[in-house]
Amino acid sequence: MQLSKFSRGAPPTAGPPGRLPGLRQLLFAQSLSQAGFVVLNLAMPLLAATGLRATPLQVSLVAAAQTAAFLLIGLPVGVWVDRMRKRPVMIAADLARAVALGVVPVLWALDALTVVHLCAVAFVVGLATVFFDIADQSYLPHLVGSEGLVTANSRLVVVDQTAAVAGPGIAGLIVQAVTAPSAVMVSAIAYVGSALCVARIVDRRPEPVDRTPRDRLGRAVLQGIRYLWGHPVLRWLVACSTTMTFCWSMGYGMLLVLLARDLGLSALTIGLLFTAGGAGGLCATVVVRRVVERLGDGRAVVLSVTLAAPCTLLAGLTGSGARLVFVVCAQFAFAAGLVIYNVAQVSYRQRTVPAHLLGRVNATIRFFAWGARPLGVLLGGALAEFHGVRFAIWVGAAGTALASLWLLCSPLRGMRVLVQPSSESSVTKGTL
């Protein structure tokens, strides 16, 4: 595959930073949905580890169940979303997540909640999240247009990181004050609010729906994989994202176990420590648009991972007292780098992938990047079970630090701007 002659040109314009129709409602929906996710991400493992006295492997099973759906149905969901209107899919997914989470406090009140129940609820929530996330990313280009993508994604990242700052602390406070099941219920309420916000979006233009003759599901899924594999840029980004997700998931889940069980920290203290990641991401949102414009999205992607990913090694040094600062530093730096990386590469993807393929391409990327998460969590739990929690954290951090090699050993290293395919056919006809 030859690279375009524009690979070292000026950075693409980010579009006007002014008002984008419908974006405000989507921002509100995203803020509530992300708040629900952040609270749940802390409350569910804590509920298993402290409320149900689960082993490290059982805690990893609960965490893995939250994203296992990306691995199991991530690919066909992209095809289905391409064939459906996106807003109704997002509303239905939010309501499904709220209903599933409502089961947890009921079972807790009846003294019937088990780790198996938590895994089942987490899996159902994960199924709905697959639909919501793929529909959300496919709907945004229709809502704001290609010129507004960097601006819109930058604003959405501000929302995500604000939730990441406030969410863990609030979740820790709720868990400590009124038990973990109540924190789960907060997430359910947030998802209901997200559904209401999406329903209020005023969009009089018809959404893009794939009207081409319906191929067999397997063939349609293969189109997304073939496009991704034949793309000169996206395949390297997916390899990097998948490696980071897989490796950091190994260490992140066991980091929570280390803090809660080995170091005996309270839920509130853990929540406050985990806000460091959100704070780093939030700080990065202030400069991400200027960084992408000044460096070019190609350099921004490579440098963000190369500089930030090795900082996760600091997590292995975590201990009691002053050594807790290593958790803060590791999460702050890694989250800041991820914000720049994600804004640049997601905006590029939404800009370059044809609208009728965007759903299945997003799904394919989520299949690899997010599908690696439950596998990493399970491997981390297994390593912790046999070799200790800290060993699992070190292994995960080391793998994360090495993820930048995909970019440094690829043609992306020399790109100021991420390349557009030289022709559509050269990508869609890529071989597996």
Side-chain angles (χ1 to χ4, degrees):
M1 175 66 65
Q2 293 185 342
L3 301 180
S4 166
K5 62 182 180 180
F6 301 108
S7 60
R8 295 176 182 267
T13 59
R19 185 175 180 272
L20 298 170
L23 183 59
R24 178 178 296 180
Q25 288 81 6
L26 189 61
L27 286 171
F28 283 135
Q30 189 77 357
S31 63
L32 290 169
S33 179
Q34 184 64 14
F37 173 79
V38 171
V39 172
L40 196 64
N41 205 34
L42 183 69
M44 291 284 270
L46 275 180
L47 177 56
T50 59
L52 301 179
R53 299 296 177 184
T55 66
L57 184 58
Q58 289 174 324
V59 173
S60 70
L61 287 171
V62 174
Q66 293 180 272
T67 52
F70 283 97
L71 188 62
L72 298 178
I73 65 164
L75 291 176
V77 167
V79 179
W80 297 331
V81 167
D82 277 337
R83 296 172 178 175
M84 295 186 288
R85 294 172 58 223
K86 312 308 185 283
R87 274 208 306 148
V89 171
M90 295 162 67
I91 294 169
D94 270 333
L95 295 178
R97 290 190 284 191
V99 171
L101 291 174
V103 174
V104 173
V106 173
L107 291 175
W108 178 265
L110 297 174
D111 198 24
L113 187 65
T114 66
V115 172
V116 174
H117 292 135
L118 277 186
C119 288
V121 169
F123 182 73
V124 172
V125 171
L127 286 175
T129 299
V130 173
F131 280 92
F132 182 92
D133 285 359
I134 292 172
D136 180 36
Q137 286 199 348
S138 301
Y139 181 64
L140 185 63
H142 163 76
L143 187 65
V144 304
S146 61
E147 296 81 5
L149 281 174
V150 171
T151 297
N153 279 316
S154 298
R155 293 179 182 178
L156 287 171
V157 168
V158 171
V159 168
D160 289 349
Q161 296 306 316
T162 301
V165 169
I170 294 174
L173 180 62
I174 296 173
V175 170
Q176 187 162 316
V178 291
T179 73
S182 297
V184 172
M185 198 62 204
V186 169
S187 293
I189 295 172
Y191 287 134
V192 172
S194 174
L196 293 175
C197 290
V198 175
R200 286 175 56 85
I201 294 176
V202 178
D203 184 8
R204 296 182 176 88
R205 297 169 300 159
E207 292 183 33
V209 177
D210 187 3
R211 301 295 186 186
T212 58
R214 300 295 175 91
D215 293 323
R216 292 181 179 178
L217 181 62
R219 183 174 180 179
V221 167
L222 193 61
Q223 288 176 343
I225 299 175
R226 181 177 291 116
Y227 182 93
L228 189 60
W229 183 262
H231 200 286
V233 171
L234 292 180
R235 58 188 176 193
W236 297 104
L237 295 175
V238 171
C240 178
S241 298
T242 303
T243 302
M244 283 196 296
T245 302
F246 177 80
C247 294
W248 185 231
S249 295
M250 292 171 56
Y252 185 84
M254 293 304 101
L255 181 60
L256 191 149
V257 174
L258 175 68
L259 296 174
R261 299 185 63 172
D262 294 2
L263 300 182
L265 300 182
S266 68
L268 178 59
T269 302
I270 294 172
L272 292 175
L273 287 173
F274 275 53
T275 63
L282 188 60
C283 291
T285 62
V286 177
V287 299
V288 60
R289 190 167 178 269
R290 290 194 293 270
V291 168
V292 172
E293 288 179 343
R294 176 164 294 189
L295 296 180
D297 51 7
R299 288 181 182 172
V301 161
V302 175
L303 287 175
S304 61
V305 177
T306 303
L307 297 177
C311 294
T312 57
L313 290 166
L314 294 172
L317 302 175
T318 301
S320 57
R323 289 173 62 189
L324 290 175
V325 72
F326 290 117
V327 177
V328 175
C329 293
Q331 296 208 96
F332 185 96
F334 188 49
L338 278 184
V339 164
I340 297 173
Y341 172 77
N342 283 327
V343 168
Q345 61 101 1
V346 170
S347 298
Y348 170 77
R349 184 201 319 162
Q350 292 170 331
R351 187 171 63 245
T352 193
V353 177
H356 69 282
L357 286 174
L358 188 56
R360 68 198 74 176
V361 170
N362 283 335
T364 304
I365 292 174
R366 289 282 176 140
F367 169 79
F368 287 108
W370 281 71
R373 183 173 177 178
L375 299 178
V377 169
L378 290 175
L379 180 57
L383 288 174
E385 196 79 15
F386 295 104
H387 300 286
V389 171
R390 195 176 294 275
F391 178 81
I393 295 172
W394 274 115
V395 172
T400 306
L402 294 174
S404 61
L405 292 178
W406 287 108
L407 305 180
L408 294 174
C409 297
S410 76
L412 276 68
R413 183 184 60 180
M415 294 183 189
R416 174 176 172 80
V417 177
L418 294 178
V419 61
Q420 297 281 122
S422 55
S423 69
E424 182 68 23
S425 60
S426 67
V427 175
T428 56
K429 293 181 181 180
T431 57
L432 293 174

